[in-house]
Amino acid sequence: MKDISYAALMASFLFMTIPFWLSYKQKLGISKEMIIASLRAFIQLTIIGYIITFVFSIETSALFLAIIFVMIIVAARTSAKRGSEFRYSFWIALAALLTAELISIVIWVTFDIVEFKAQYILPMSGMIIGSSMVAVSLVFDRLKREFDLTKELIMGKLALGATPRQASQELIEATVKAALIPSMEGMKTIGLVQLPGMMTGAIIAGAPPVTAVKYQLVIALTTFGNTAITAMIVSFLTYPCFYRQKMF
């Protein structure tokens, strides 16, 4: 596969000039954030590229599992910021992300989908954790919004004798559905509107298209399943905070 020089890679930042110029011209106030996000992505991916190269060279299971755990912690801290109103938001996010990742690795290895090596587990886990992190953030954000909108309805149900779980049913249902919308829409249009990243990368690297599709299906189905698992776990663990923290 052809290598890309760092000079050519820096040229890819030209794609950012148009949205940056529009943001500056229209005074949207996001120009600085766009630059910081782009630079962070460049620096972080460059560093992780060298780290992964090192991990691949020694093939130590404990090391790449430790890296995955660090990724989960970072993802939990990031998504927990959306749930700062809730007590133990970090631990809730960590529990959900860790559970989903463990389920994924067990299924991959048990059914011999991929070998238990950093070369396969680490990049696939990165995609799974990233999508699950977005789902956790959406759940935290949507739970608070839905609660503010349905607070009086919940109080009415409680007054009529409903348990907190029963009174929160519609709240949880709306939250989980909202968190799954990006994944569900992506699943509906995969292969028609978009050619996913892993499939495209595998084809560019020289893999047969059918083989690339199989791997992409594994990622797509695992991602969707994990998104649903994390959304449900976070919803079930977070809604009691409305009652314990007396947020009415």
Side-chain angles (χ1 to χ4, degrees), residues 30-241:
I30 59 173
S31 300
K32 182 179 178 181
E33 189 174 351
M34 290 171 62
I35 293 175
I36 293 174
S38 300
L39 290 175
R40 280 191 60 175
F42 177 81
I43 294 170
Q44 290 167 185
L45 285 175
T46 301
I47 292 173
I48 198 64
Y50 285 106
I51 292 175
I52 291 175
T53 300
F54 171 70
V55 174
F56 285 1
S57 66
I58 59 177
E59 297 185 352
T60 302
S61 300
L63 182 57
F64 79 76
L65 288 176
I67 292 176
I68 290 174
F69 186 64
V70 171
M71 292 165 63
I72 292 173
I73 291 176
V74 173
R77 286 178 60 87
T78 302
S79 55
K81 293 178 182 178
R82 291 284 182 178
S84 56
E85 301 92 346
F86 305 111
R87 216 173 278 167
Y88 309 120
S89 59
F90 168 75
W91 296 107
I92 291 173
L94 181 64
L97 292 168
L98 191 57
T99 299
E101 176 64 16
L102 287 174
I103 292 173
S104 299
I105 293 177
V106 168
I107 291 176
W108 292 340
V109 175
T110 300
F111 293 94
D112 199 26
I113 295 174
V114 295
E115 294 183 59
F116 189 67
K117 292 183 178 180
Q119 180 181 354
Y120 308 105
I121 301 294
L122 194 56
M124 291 173 70
S125 294
M127 288 184 278
I128 299 303
I129 295 169
S131 61
S132 297
M133 178 187 69
V134 173
V136 174
S137 298
L138 289 173
V139 168
F140 280 138
D141 186 65
R142 191 59 180 252
L143 265 177
K144 187 64 172 65
R145 292 188 184 187
E146 289 293 329
F147 177 76
D148 291 336
L149 292 173
T150 61
K151 185 184 299 185
E152 294 183 0
L153 178 61
I154 293 174
M155 292 179 67
K157 290 181 179 180
L158 291 172
L160 293 173
T163 64
R165 177 66 179 82
Q166 292 170 334
S168 303
Q169 177 61 34
E170 293 181 10
L171 170 71
I172 296 172
E173 184 179 334
T175 298
V176 172
K177 284 182 178 179
L180 293 181
I181 286 176
S183 296
M184 285 193 289
E185 295 304 309
M187 289 284 284
K188 291 177 183 177
T189 59
I190 191 170
L192 298 175
V193 176
Q194 60 171 331
L195 291 179
M198 183 175 184
M199 173 181 166
T200 304
I203 292 174
I204 292 175
V210 175
T211 302
V213 167
K214 290 178 181 178
Y215 274 98
Q216 186 58 60
L217 279 172
V218 170
I219 291 297
L221 294 173
T222 307
T223 299
F224 184 69
N226 280 10
T227 300
I229 290 171
T230 51
M232 292 177 189
I233 290 176
V234 174
S235 296
F236 294 148
L237 294 180
T238 305
Y239 87 86
C241 294

